[in-house]
Amino acid sequence: MPRFRYAVLALGLLAACDQTAPIAPQPDLPADDPRQAQLLEAECTIYFAAVTKLEADGRDVNGNPTRGCPAEAAGVAADINAMVSVPPVTPGYPQTLYDRMIARGIPSDVADDISKSKAFWDLVAKRDSLLADF
């Protein structure tokens, strides 16, 4: 019986740990490149906006979507409302960004809307632009 108790305790501790997926640096840029910080902040503004939207809608936030985000990203406005005409999420960075939203605890219906937003596609374009300069 003591082994069972330890197993339950271990599972409880694991469940309490923050399992939020990290925001990985862009592999196409050097780790100390200032563009890494620009992309991180732009992505984090989406996460902060998603949390604000979920809370405003009275919905629970799963996990910690803003973990590892710079605090100043919370003060930047991000338009995460779905636009009327948007391209589909495609393989590559758009799909990676979408998957990361889900992994960080943003519900799929909200992530679907965000993937159709100006903030999402502005970030994709910004990343593409920064990498084109590299």
Side-chain angles (χ1 to χ4, degrees), residues 69-99:
C69 288
E72 56 271 10
V76 179
D79 182 359
I80 61 167
N81 296 310
M83 297 184 296
V84 175
S85 177
V86 293
V89 172
T90 55
Y93 184 67
Q95 185 66 51
T96 299
L97 181 56
Y98 177 85
D99 292 343

Side-chain angles (χ1 to χ4, degrees), residues 1 16 22 26 29 34 40-41 46 55 59 64 76 79 82 88 91 94 100-101 105-106 108 117-119 126 132:
M1 195 58 114
Q26 293 301 310
L29 294 173
L40 172 70
E41 185 171 331
I46 292 172
E55 290 172 347
R59 295 178 65 181
N64 183 3
V76 179
D79 182 359
R100 199 155 41 218
M101 286 190 292
I106 296 173
S108 60
S117 73
K118 180 175 178 356
K126 180 176 192 165

Side-chain angles (χ1 to χ4, degrees), residues 32-56:
D32 61 346
D33 192 305
R35 294 175 287 185
Q36 293 279 12
Q38 291 175 1
L39 292 170
L40 172 70
E41 185 171 331
E43 185 171 341
C44 285
T45 62
I46 292 172
Y47 298 142
F48 279 109
V51 168
T52 300
K53 177 178 177 30
L54 287 166
E55 290 172 347

